[in-house]
Amino acid sequence: MLTNHPPTVAESIAPPLPRTGPALLPVYATMPLRAASGHGSWLVDEAGHEWLDAYGGHAVAATGHCHPDVVKAIQDQAARLLFYSTAVPHPLREDLAELLVSLCPRPLDGVFFCNSGAEANENALGLARRVTGRTPVVSVAGGWHGRTVATLACTDGAGYEASARRAGMPLSTRVPFNDVAAILAAVDASVAAVLVEPVQGVAGARDCSPEFLAAARAACDRTGAVLIFDEIQCGAGRSGAFTAAESYGVIPDIITMAKGLASGLPIGAMVARPWLTDHLKLGDLGSTFGGGPVPCAAAIANLRVIQREHLAANATAIGAHLVRGARALGLRTIQGRGLLIGFGLERAAKEVQTALFSHRILTGTASDPSILRVMPPLNFSREEADLLLDGLRQVLA
Ligand SMILES: Cc1ncc(COP(=O)(O)O)c(C=O)c1O
């Protein structure tokens, strides 16, 4: 955009982004390939090369790229009705809500659909504040919850906190990771919610201890605060159970999910207990695109594949195989659950990630620079896991 006005305050403080031509803002660090297509655990670049995808597009490709059932569901629904808002009921929205509730632990039984992980967390925090009439939130060091104002205020990192502060949002109180005494002390009767990822994704697949999550539950029970599990990254089977909550045996008041729900179409969900949802009146929550028929069709097909092909169990089995293989390579620090795994390295994970690119293998890094994060499709095969291990072996040699 060309302007001839004098610079605004913001323009005179911040140097402009380097625009080298394309209109797309260069705000993302990108991997060294241009995507053309994908199938299963493989991404195909514009030159036709196949890349083993142990990154899953930020852990989204739960049933892999372009699972035929998911593609067909999208095609069929798109041809029938592309979209209508929640002003008109649609059976797929209701069916998906029923399916999600059947897969989540009791007594979570009410679903609100939106479009992203941050939006699901934003709604969860909003609901907790509305019902409790309180504002403060307790979060956990290393937690990553999104880029909306309320979620930035709970996300660990100076830049995120600064953005929340600039918007006037009070920051959450952050307790050290897995510190039982700290969480028990931080949650008092002024606290609206405790927001925690049972397995922290961006921090490097750090899994909370069962004692820590049980303490969070006890603290919320004692004070009336709302326990929110952010399962945006670790949910929908990735942790080895449909919800990480279930695998820990700790049932929160709200679970939020997004990434793996539809294996690629944007959808977020907040699933809550009745003591929270019973308060809701018409118009209290809303989203134009939330629960649109095409993402709902994709999510139903995707969740049925996860169920039918026992992909949560596969995540456990292949995850264990990867952990054994990584130990055999001499890696000592290995964390995570199921197919959300962090490999602790003795050199910068970024270097190892870059070296793996030359083997056409995609992996992720983490906010901890020593952790290489892998979150492949839940139907990653043993052979694909061995290819990843072999790539790691060559790069670490
Ligand atoms: C645990 C967790 N919560 C929330 C989010 C935000 O999700 P979205 O990018 O869909 O808004 C992410 C995204 O990486 C995440 O990993």
Side-chain angles (χ1 to χ4, degrees):
M1 185 177 59
L2 294 176
T3 58
N4 53 11
H5 64 72
T8 62
V9 174
E11 281 165 356
S12 57
I13 295 170
L17 289 168
R19 293 284 196 99
T20 51
L24 189 63
L25 293 174
V27 293
Y28 293 107
T30 53
M31 295 179 172
L33 75 159
R34 294 177 66 81
S37 63
H39 57 92
S41 303
W42 298 86
L43 195 59
V44 184
D45 68 20
E46 286 177 340
H49 298 125
E50 306 230 329
W51 296 65
L52 180 66
D53 191 1
Y55 185 66
H58 284 337
V60 166
T63 53
H65 298 292
C66 302
H67 191 287
D69 290 20
V70 178
V71 171
K72 183 164 188 329
I74 292 169
Q75 286 171 334
D76 289 354
Q77 184 52 45
R80 206 172 292 127
L81 177 66
L82 208 49
F83 181 71
Y84 209 90
S85 69
T86 42
V88 173
H90 192 281
L92 290 183
R93 193 177 296 129
E94 293 150 20
D95 290 352
L96 177 59
E98 294 297 336
L99 181 55
L100 260 184
V101 162
S102 75
L103 292 168
C104 284
R106 288 284 89 68
L108 285 90
D109 70 353
V111 181
F112 173 72
F113 290 121
C114 51
N115 310 286
S116 69
E119 204 186 341
N121 283 339
E122 182 87 16
N123 277 285
L125 291 167
L127 182 60
R129 287 181 166 131
R130 172 193 293 271
V131 173
T132 61
R134 310 169 187 170
T135 303
V137 172
V138 170
S139 66
V140 181
W144 208 98
H145 302 289
R147 290 175 187 271
T148 59
V149 173
T151 57
L152 281 168
C154 305
T155 291
D156 195 352
Y160 305 124
E161 287 186 356
S163 297
R165 239 189 246 111
R166 280 194 294 272
M169 189 73 199
L171 298 183
S172 64
T173 301
R174 190 160 302 126
V175 298
F177 185 71
N178 273 347
D179 189 329
V180 168
I183 199 152
L184 289 173
V187 183
D188 61 24
S190 73
V191 169
V194 174
L195 178 59
V196 46
E197 290 167 86
V199 186
Q200 291 187 331
V202 174
R206 287 203 301 182
D207 42 321
C208 289
S209 69
E211 297 73 28
F212 182 68
L213 294 183
R217 178 69 274 172
C220 288
D221 288 343
R222 175 171 48 81
T223 59
V226 176
L227 182 60
I228 304 170
F229 277 5
D230 174 345
E231 298 212 18
I232 307 292
Q233 190 161 150
C234 66
R238 184 159 295 281
S239 72
F242 185 72
T243 60
E246 175 192 336
S247 75
Y248 277 97
V250 176
I251 311 305
D253 299 298
I254 302 179
I255 295 179
T256 54
M257 280 188 259
K259 293 178 184 292
L261 270 184
S263 273
L265 288 205
I267 186 166
M270 172 183 80
V271 191
R273 293 195 192 220
W275 75 273
L276 294 164
T277 53
D278 284 352
H279 293 256
L280 291 172
K281 300 184 300 301
L282 274 185
D284 279 351
L285 305 174
S287 161
T288 295
F289 287 112
V294 179
C296 284
I300 290 171
N302 184 59
L303 296 180
R304 288 204 177 124
V305 174
I306 292 176
Q307 281 184 293
R308 187 181 70 228
E309 298 181 4
H310 307 290
L311 295 189
N314 192 62
T316 303
I318 300 298
H321 182 68
L322 282 170
V323 168
R324 276 194 302 275
R327 288 227 169 85
L329 296 179
L331 269 58
R332 283 192 290 273
T333 306
I334 303 174
Q335 55 201 26
R337 281 190 173 217
L339 280 175
L340 180 52
I341 308 176
F343 294 128
L345 304 171
E346 275 158 24
R347 59 175 134 139
K350 182 90 201 131
E351 265 176 39
V352 173
Q353 182 199 37
T354 302
L356 285 169
F357 289 147
S358 56
H359 293 257
R360 296 209 183 100
I361 296 175
L362 304 179
T363 55
T365 52
S367 55
D368 177 338
S370 72
I371 301 286
L372 187 77
R373 187 166 37 131
V374 304
M375 55 270 218
L378 306 183
N379 47 11
F380 212 49
S381 68
R382 190 174 267 257
E383 293 70 31
E384 289 162 344
D386 286 339
L387 286 175
L388 170 60
L389 289 168
D390 198 46
L392 258 182
R393 183 183 55 72
Q394 293 185 49
V395 164
L396 297 176

